[in-house]
């Protein structure tokens, strides 16, 4: 199985909605793409984001909800609870904590890019794209915290 260190799915609102609606019998990326009017490759980005967040697992080309995802669905998780899950997730917590104290957006991007490049052996361009995704996630989290 190929591991994707950091996903490319920028829209955390869509990720949140997928967590709440993922069918127990699984889904393929083309279905996600069609339902959300995005390209097939983008559908795969969003399902891979769920893999990264340990909210899905993959068998062949089909993605299934993990037990955690099913618990979230059953509890009808709200955005605050989802944000708490995200900021405490082991793959995001170090970055979120560090970025929270950095005020300048470019410095945040540079920090995330450097962390990804150093720890996951990705080239600069890929690390930069992944950093942009993670920063978009953090912006979404902060927006949700402000609204609550």
């Amino acid at each position: 199985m190929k591991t994707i260190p950091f996903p490319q799915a920028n829209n955390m609102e869509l990720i949140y909605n997928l967590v709440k609606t993922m069918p127990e019998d699984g889904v393929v990326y083309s279905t996600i793409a069609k339902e959300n009017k995005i390209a097939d490759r983008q559908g795969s980005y969003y399902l891979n984001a769920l893999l990264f967040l340990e909210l899905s697992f993959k068998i062949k080309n089909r993605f299934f909800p993990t037990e955690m995802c099913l618990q979230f669905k059953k509890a009808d998780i709200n955005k605050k609870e989802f944000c708490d899950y995200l900021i405490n997730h082991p793959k995001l917590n170090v970055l979120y904590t560090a970025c929270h104290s950095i005020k300048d957006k470019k410095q945040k991007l540079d920090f995330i890019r450097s962390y990804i490049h150093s720890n996951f052996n990705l080239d600069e361009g890929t690390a930069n794209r992944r950093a942009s995704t993670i920063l978009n996630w953090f912006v979404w989290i902060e927006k949700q915290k402000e609204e609550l």
Side-chain angles (χ1 to χ4, degrees):
M1 177 195 317
K2 182 179 175 185
T3 302
I4 300 172
F6 287 93
Q8 301 179 66
N10 288 331
N11 184 343
M12 185 53 75
E13 189 75 27
L14 178 52
I15 294 169
Y16 171 73
N17 289 331
L18 290 174
V19 168
K20 293 181 61 105
T21 61
M22 186 172 220
E24 287 188 41
D25 61 346
V27 67
V28 295
Y29 66 85
S30 59
T31 301
I32 297 302
K34 184 177 178 182
E35 289 174 353
N36 293 284
K37 296 178 175 66
I38 57 178
D40 281 356
R41 69 178 166 74
Q42 291 175 308
S44 71
Y45 295 168
Y46 285 92
L47 290 172
N48 284 325
L50 293 177
L51 281 174
F52 173 80
L53 294 169
E54 300 169 10
L55 295 169
S56 74
F57 63 94
K58 185 177 178 182
I59 299 175
K60 296 187 180 180
N61 292 331
R62 201 162 189 80
F63 293 77
F64 298 87
T66 60
E67 192 59 39
M68 179 63 70
C69 185
L70 292 172
Q71 288 175 19
F72 286 165
K73 282 179 63 173
K74 184 177 181 182
D76 194 25
I77 189 172
N78 63 38
K79 289 180 183 178
K80 180 196 179 310
E81 294 164 327
F82 188 61
C83 288
D84 288 344
Y85 175 80
L86 294 172
I87 63 178
N88 290 301
H89 193 284
K91 293 178 184 172
L92 295 177
N93 184 264
V94 170
L95 291 169
Y96 182 80
T97 302
C99 284
H100 200 65
S101 64
I102 301 170
K103 300 302 178 203
D104 181 70
K105 180 180 177 179
K106 184 180 179 328
Q107 289 178 338
K108 286 181 185 186
L109 273 171
D110 287 345
F111 175 80
I112 297 168
R113 180 194 42 75
S114 177
Y115 181 89
I116 294 169
H117 178 69
S118 298
N119 291 287
F120 296 92
N121 197 29
L122 296 174
D123 65 71
E124 289 284 331
T126 302
N128 195 51
R129 288 190 303 277
R130 299 299 190 270
S132 177
T133 294
I134 297 302
L135 188 58
N136 281 329
W137 289 9
F138 293 165
V139 167
W140 184 85
I141 290 168
E142 290 304 311
K143 182 179 176 193
Q144 302 317 304
K145 288 169 65 176
E146 288 172 9
E147 291 178 2
L148 299 173

